[in-house]
Amino acid sequence: TATMTDNDDNTSRLGESLSMSTDENFVVAGAPYTNAVGLDGSTRFADSGLVKLYIWDPSTFRYGILNTITSPVDAASQNFGWAHKVCEPGLDSVRSTATKYMFVSAPGFDSDKGRVYMYEWGIGSDESTYDSWTQNLTISSNEPATGKRFGHAIAANDNGDILAISSQAPGKAGIVEIFRRTSQSSDDSVSHSF
């Protein structure tokens, strides 16, 4: 059972979005209506949102809380955590497998234009205590527009190199944009692009 106290009222809606990584090492629970604390550590931003990450512990056969991630941008009404996907390339990925990607949407960002953030898994020196997700790329629609809500839903393949992102796109029947990662295919680059 998971609950949270990260909000200053009861509107967070933890679990509004849920996903499990492809090799079942992570469970992500979105709370897109959380009035999250900003980067300064004290200012709250209404409906900015957050995600809670849980990690599998093979010694206890349970998921335990890993960490909480809020938007890398201080802004109200961005609904960070509306949708998310964790990709674990390779067969039988475990916690210490280095290459993992997580995508988290914020469809309310900038008057509902929306965006998706990409995070990469990093292994700490002791292979547990300092493991973390680091945000390293922001993905925006190729046709940004107010009210579009880019990031309404996210789908990706196991390798995290093909990404489909939907938008509500008022005035249209909806839009799905498909992105292909054009970096880190075989050159060990640390830069990503879609």
Side-chain angles (χ1 to χ4, degrees), residues 91-164:
L91 297 175
D92 301 322
S93 179
V94 295
R95 179 181 184 142
S96 60
T97 305
T99 305
K100 300 178 193 317
Y101 305 103
M102 178 172 64
F103 301 93
V104 181
S105 75
F109 179 80
D110 193 16
S111 300
D112 290 339
K113 287 180 183 167
R115 59 173 34 170
V116 172
Y117 298 99
M118 179 181 159
Y119 293 79
E120 191 166 4
W121 179 245
I123 305 299
S125 59
D126 67 351
E127 293 188 3
S128 68
T129 310
Y130 301 105
D131 300 351
S132 64
W133 289 99
T134 303
Q135 191 262 328
N136 60 12
L137 185 66
T138 301
I139 303 166
S140 299
S141 172
N142 292 320
E143 299 174 16
T146 299
K148 186 173 185 176
R149 291 194 61 83
F150 177 77
H152 182 72
I154 299 172
N157 67 347
D158 286 355
N159 289 332
D161 57 3
I162 300 174
L163 179 64

